[in-house]
Amino acid sequence: MSDWPQGRSDRQGGGSRDGYGRGSASARPEGARVMPHVQRPVPQQQPQPGYDDGYDPSPGQGYDSGYNTGQVYGQPSRASGGGGGAGGDGYGPPAGRSARPAPNWRKRIKWTAITVVTVVVVTSVSTYFWADSKLHRDVDLSKVIDRPEAGDGTNYLIVGTDSREGMSDEQKKELHTGSAEGKRTDTMMILHVGGNGDTLVSLPRDSNVTIPSFKGAESGKLYPGTGRQVKLNAAYAEDGPELLVRTVESNTGLHIDHYAEIGFGGFASIVDAVGGVEMNLKDGFKDKWSGADFKAGKQTLTGQQALAFVRTRHAFAASDLQRTKNQQAFLAALAHKVASPSTIMNPFKLYPTLGAGLDSLVVDKDMSLWNLASMFMAMKSVSGGDGDGTSMNMPTNGSVGGNLLWDKAKVKQLVDQFNNDEKVTVTGS
């Protein structure tokens, strides 16, 4: 009996007649071998999955033993998916395990970007409302009467007071503020923000001005002008921010759009919150009244030292005029420090700085955070070499009774340039 399985004869289905076909009755081949390719008709339909012995009963089709494809007898083909699973030939995934899909990097990047943008937007909106809620909008400029017409650009009146509100006795002693009741102005500046460069004009507290008629901020009573002449800081001491704005507008003819005020404690807190401010002093000076004790050269000023620096006037021959110049230089340095990446990019510095500034800042009722930001950036540009900004003292021309007289011709020219938003060509004292 032959070892080769009995198959169909060559006459069945027109199989191969070379003696090695499945239907051959001859002896089994010596071993698995690759047979020459034999052309066969192309099937009309694609074979369905399952067992296929190569036999096609349709008329005119011969028997396909599988040898004419070049396949080795008994060896599964790669195309059929054989060899998969454990112990296979490596052409499919292991048994029971599906292939891992490639990561969709485009989708991942998209969702990462959406997440980052969402966090930034939420943080920005939250910070805006937090900051807006901390502003003290206590000054009502609608109470100011007989106001000049507004010109081009925006004019801010920036005031630093000697207010000791909220300070302990220990803090008053440390900052050399004394314990006087009420509050007075140590610093007054007009900041013009316009299209032809920003300009900061310091108003000496000893400036000689005329108190005009005004309406009391609290009483609402009308006080007619009598031609009374006083130092500028006396207007604030008499009836607060509204009378100060009324006096500045009456004596200059310039419309003030916004008002901002900060006291002793708030100023020192801002400086400490940013880690101090570096100054390069040309000359050293001392002043027992303010507590100033500085040597020449570069040094980082703490809040206490900064307050002494901007308040000192008795140590200078030019007195208040030199003090205003020191104030301008320090405010520019402070603005640069606040706007530096080391502060902006560090939330542990940024939020304490914002908190210290906003907690102690008093503004007018119409001041928005955008107005405040514009004021801050303009302060940074003047005296700081960041743009076309300039700083100056109000032009003066002599004195009377110890009070500085403003140069009326230059003041009118300066106001006209502000109102027309022209580049300032006037020089100050």
Side-chain angles (χ1 to χ4, degrees):
M1 182 174 180
S2 172
D3 293 335
W4 185 256
Q6 185 67 31
R8 294 181 182 85
S9 67
D10 293 343
R11 296 179 181 85
Q12 290 178 314
S16 172
R17 299 180 182 276
D18 57 6
Y20 294 105
R22 194 169 184 178
S24 173
S26 61
R28 180 179 180 179
E30 294 176 358
R33 70 184 74 178
V34 178
M35 303 302 293
H37 178 71
V38 178
Q39 185 70 31
R40 66 166 183 234
V42 178
Q44 297 300 318
Q45 297 180 347
Q46 294 292 331
Q48 298 298 318
Y51 176 73
D52 182 7
D53 63 355
Y55 177 72
D56 185 354
S58 59
Q61 297 297 325
Y63 177 75
D64 183 1
S65 66
Y67 283 97
N68 57 359
T69 64
Q71 176 180 329
V72 177
Y73 184 88
Q75 181 74 14
S77 68
R78 296 178 180 177
S80 66
D89 62 358
Y91 289 98
R97 186 183 301 173
S98 60
R100 179 180 297 176
N104 190 336
W105 289 107
R106 180 177 295 180
K107 188 175 182 180
R108 290 187 181 184
I109 293 173
K110 172 186 174 183
W111 281 108
T112 299
I114 291 175
T115 301
V116 171
V117 170
T118 301
V119 170
V120 170
V121 170
V122 171
T123 302
S124 300
V125 171
S126 300
T127 300
Y128 177 88
F129 284 106
W130 167 77
D132 189 72
S133 67
K134 294 180 78 65
L135 274 179
H136 300 283
R137 295 183 173 92
D138 300 335
V139 179
D140 189 358
L141 295 183
S142 67
K143 296 179 179 180
V144 180
I145 63 173
D146 300 333
R147 308 192 68 187
E149 291 292 329
D152 295 331
T154 304
N155 300 313
Y156 298 85
L157 181 60
I158 302 171
V159 175
T161 72
D162 63 1
S163 172
R164 298 153 179 85
E165 185 176 351
M167 295 174 61
S168 65
D169 291 339
E170 183 179 350
Q171 288 174 318
K172 292 176 184 177
K173 182 178 180 180
E174 179 184 358
L175 297 176
H176 293 83
T177 64
S179 300
E181 295 296 327
K183 55 183 181 179
R184 286 149 293 278
T185 54
D186 269 1
T187 306
M188 289 165 285
M189 301 177 177
I190 294 174
L191 175 65
H192 175 78
V193 180
N196 283 293
D198 307 320
T199 304
L200 181 67
V201 182
S202 289
L203 310 177
R205 56 173 278 176
D206 295 338
S207 297
N208 191 79
V209 295
T210 300
I211 297 293
S213 58
F214 68 96
K215 184 182 290 187
E218 298 296 331
S219 66
K221 180 181 177 181
L222 180 64
Y223 296 89
T226 61
R228 178 165 49 104
Q229 294 185 331
V230 298
K231 292 182 178 180
L232 181 59
N233 66 336
Y236 182 96
E238 185 172 334
D239 201 51
E242 289 83 2
L243 178 55
L244 178 61
V245 171
R246 169 75 176 122
T247 302
V248 170
E249 288 187 340
S250 175
N251 284 264
T252 62
L254 182 69
H255 181 90
I256 300 299
D257 298 289
H258 293 292
Y259 177 91
E261 171 190 316
I262 192 168
F264 279 169
F267 179 80
S269 296
I270 294 174
V271 175
D272 286 333
V274 297
V277 176
E278 184 179 274
M279 296 291 293
N280 189 4
L281 306 184
K282 183 178 179 181
D283 300 303
F285 58 88
K286 291 184 179 182
D287 180 19
K288 67 177 182 178
W289 302 101
S290 66
D293 186 2
F294 299 106
K295 296 181 180 179
K298 286 186 178 182
Q299 51 206 289
T300 299
L301 275 57
T302 64
Q304 175 187 349
Q305 293 171 323
L307 187 59
F309 179 78
V310 299
R311 292 181 61 212
T312 297
R313 64 180 180 130
H314 295 286
F316 310 121
S319 188
D320 209 33
L321 291 178
Q322 181 59 46
R323 177 168 67 172
T324 57
K325 292 179 181 180
N326 287 347
Q327 291 170 349
Q328 292 171 356
F330 184 83
L331 289 176
L334 176 60
H336 274 76
K337 184 64 178 289
V338 172
S340 67
S342 63
T343 301
I344 297 296
M345 303 303 293
N346 184 353
F348 297 102
K349 271 191 177 182
L350 176 62
Y351 284 96
T353 301
L354 288 175
L358 295 172
D359 278 340
S360 55
L361 196 63
V362 176
V363 298
D364 65 272
K365 293 184 180 299
D366 295 326
M367 177 82 84
S368 69
L369 285 180
W370 303 115
N371 297 136
L372 200 59
S374 175
M375 183 187 80
F376 171 78
M377 295 308 296
M379 288 288 293
K380 181 174 177 289
S381 73
V382 299
S383 300
D386 284 349
D388 298 328
T390 58
S391 60
M392 56 186 286
N393 282 328
M394 181 65 86
T396 58
N397 185 18
S399 64
V400 56
N403 297 348
L404 293 171
L405 294 173
W406 290 351
D407 188 323
K408 293 183 178 180
K410 285 189 175 183
V411 169
K412 183 180 184 308
Q413 183 183 0
L414 177 65
V415 171
D416 287 342
Q417 290 176 341
F418 280 170
N419 286 333
N420 296 323
D421 199 18
E422 299 172 348
K423 188 173 181 61
V424 173
T425 58
V426 179
T427 57
S429 300

